[in-house]
């Protein structure tokens, strides 16, 4: 399939093998400076300092705590018990996607060991010497590899995080990255991400199917369409931060994906915007956070909305979020699903990423049809 599909420049990035132990000639980019600063026990450097209005959370306002607003937690345990239960779950998802653009799922059937193995492998990856990680540095303007997060160029402050992205199924590049990074065992590295990718793909298909049913888009054609979607594995690492209230782990954004599945582990930090307030998505043991991405907003013709979210950091604990982006294939046309009055024109994921790289927050509006 790869041979017949025209890929966007970012998606065609396939790393060339590099010999482990070779000298790194490139200058070290700012992503490497996080761990060095921590070794020196420095204070938060100026470049990482965000204004208090940018980092303020709903929890800073005691009135908010009384409301106890929480993103819905949906239990999938009894999905197959009866048609009624399945319908209820579809309805819960529909309302969460409309009101929040996000929810959590529990009893999703993904074994703990699969998640734990992938988290351990991710942490090992971030713990590699900076020079090893930089062998896999993401080339500017592309999607895959190690470095500061892609949207960093839109902000004049640095974020307190490092990230790593790999292509998942159906064209995963785990092996090439294992080789580039000089990981301890290429086999373990690949196995743990292959397992995780497979589990995430299953869950993404299941949840997207349920959400589309909630949209009354149950035709076979649409479900077949989703089966061709691609996966991407993206990890964010947030070291403990000397002055968390002034720092930003990951700045406010929406995901371009169709659906995002995120495992945030036991250390919280993720927040979602509701109205003009930031609400924390508290870690629930074993749960995955599900977010509506821009592509699902478009496909739903604005019935659902992609959630604006961000990640804050803390002083005591390091934090890893393991993210799976479920996205359309790069050159396939994506349209609002059977509305009599489409709000958006059809687009390809390739096209969308190019516009997002230029406009960032305004990207989806760019595809709105004139009234
Ligand atoms: C599959 C995706 C989705 C990407 C691009 C590509 C790989 C990296 C993803 C993120 C992850 C962090 C936020 C974001 C906004 C960013 O800068 O990089 C995301 C972006 C998007 O959702 O547009
Ligand atoms: O780490 C988090 O909680 C958020 C991660 C995220 O939003 C992303 O990678 O797109
Ligand atoms: Fe995100």
């Amino acid at each position: 399939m790869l041979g017949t599909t025209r890929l966007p420049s970012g998606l065609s990035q396939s790393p060339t093998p590099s010999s482990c132990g070779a000298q790194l000639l490139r200058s070290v980019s700012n992503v490497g400076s996080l761990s060095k600063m921590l070794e020196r026990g420095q204070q938060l450097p100026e470049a990482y300092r965000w204004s208090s209005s940018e980092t303020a959370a709903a929890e800073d306002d005691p009135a908010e705590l009384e409301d106890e607003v929480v993103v819905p937690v949906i239990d999938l345990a009894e999905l197959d018990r009866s048609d009624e239960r399945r319908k209820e779950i579809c309805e819960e998802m529909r309302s969460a996607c409309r009101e929040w653009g996000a929810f959590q799922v529990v009893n999703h059937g993904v074994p703990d060991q699969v998640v734990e193995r992938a988290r351990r492998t991710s942490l090992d990856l971030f713990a590699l010497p900076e020079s090893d990680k930089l062998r896999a540095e993401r080339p500017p303007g592309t999607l895959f590899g190690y470095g500061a997060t892609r949207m960093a160029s839109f902000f004049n402050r640095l974020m307190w995080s490092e990230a790593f992205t790999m292509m998942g199924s159906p064209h995963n590049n785990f092996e090439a990255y294992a080789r580039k990074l000089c990981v301890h065992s290429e086999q373990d590295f690949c196995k743990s991400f292959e397992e995780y990718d497979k589990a995430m793909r299953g869950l993404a298909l299941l949840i997207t199917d349920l959400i589309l049913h909630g949209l009354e888009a149950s035709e076979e054609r649409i479900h077949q369409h989703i089966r061709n979607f691609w996966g991407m594995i993206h990890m964010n690492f947030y070291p403990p931060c000397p002055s968390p209230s002034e720092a930003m782990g990951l700045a406010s954004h929406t995901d371009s994906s169709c659906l995002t599945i995120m495992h945030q582990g036991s250390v919280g930090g993720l927040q979602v915007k509701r109205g003009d307030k930031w609400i924390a998505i508290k870690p629930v043991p074993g749960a995955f956070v599900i977010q509506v991405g821009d592509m699902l907003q478009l496909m739903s013709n604005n019935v659902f909305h992609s959630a604006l979210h961000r990640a804050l950091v803390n002083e005591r604990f390091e934090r890893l979020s393991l993210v799976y982006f479920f996205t359309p294939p790069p050159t396939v046309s994506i349209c609002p699903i059977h509305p009599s009055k489409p709000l958006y024109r059809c687009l390809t994921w390739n096209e969308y990423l190019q516009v997002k790289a230029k406009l960032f927050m305004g990207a989806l509006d760019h595809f709105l049809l004139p009234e």
Side-chain angles (χ1 to χ4, degrees), residues 334-352:
I334 301 297
C335 307
I337 295 170
H338 69 61
S340 49
K341 194 176 177 302
L343 296 171
Y344 296 98
R345 74 159 169 89
C346 299
L347 51 68
T348 66
W349 163 249
N350 188 353
E351 204 182 349
Y352 188 68

Side-chain angles (χ1 to χ4, degrees), residues 306-351:
S306 55
L308 197 58
H309 57 281
R310 68 178 186 183
L312 298 187
V313 286
N314 75 85
E315 200 162 3
R316 289 182 58 203
F317 305 106
E318 62 179 31
R319 176 169 183 268
L320 171 82
S321 64
L322 190 49
V323 184
Y324 180 83
F325 293 112
F326 191 51
T327 76
T331 56
V332 169
S333 179
I334 301 297
C335 307
I337 295 170
H338 69 61
S340 49
K341 194 176 177 302
L343 296 171
Y344 296 98
R345 74 159 169 89
C346 299
L347 51 68
T348 66
W349 163 249
N350 188 353
E351 204 182 349

Side-chain angles (χ1 to χ4, degrees), residues 250 253-255 291 309 325:
L250 196 62
H253 66 279
T254 60
D255 295 341
Q291 314 235 33
H309 57 281
F325 293 112

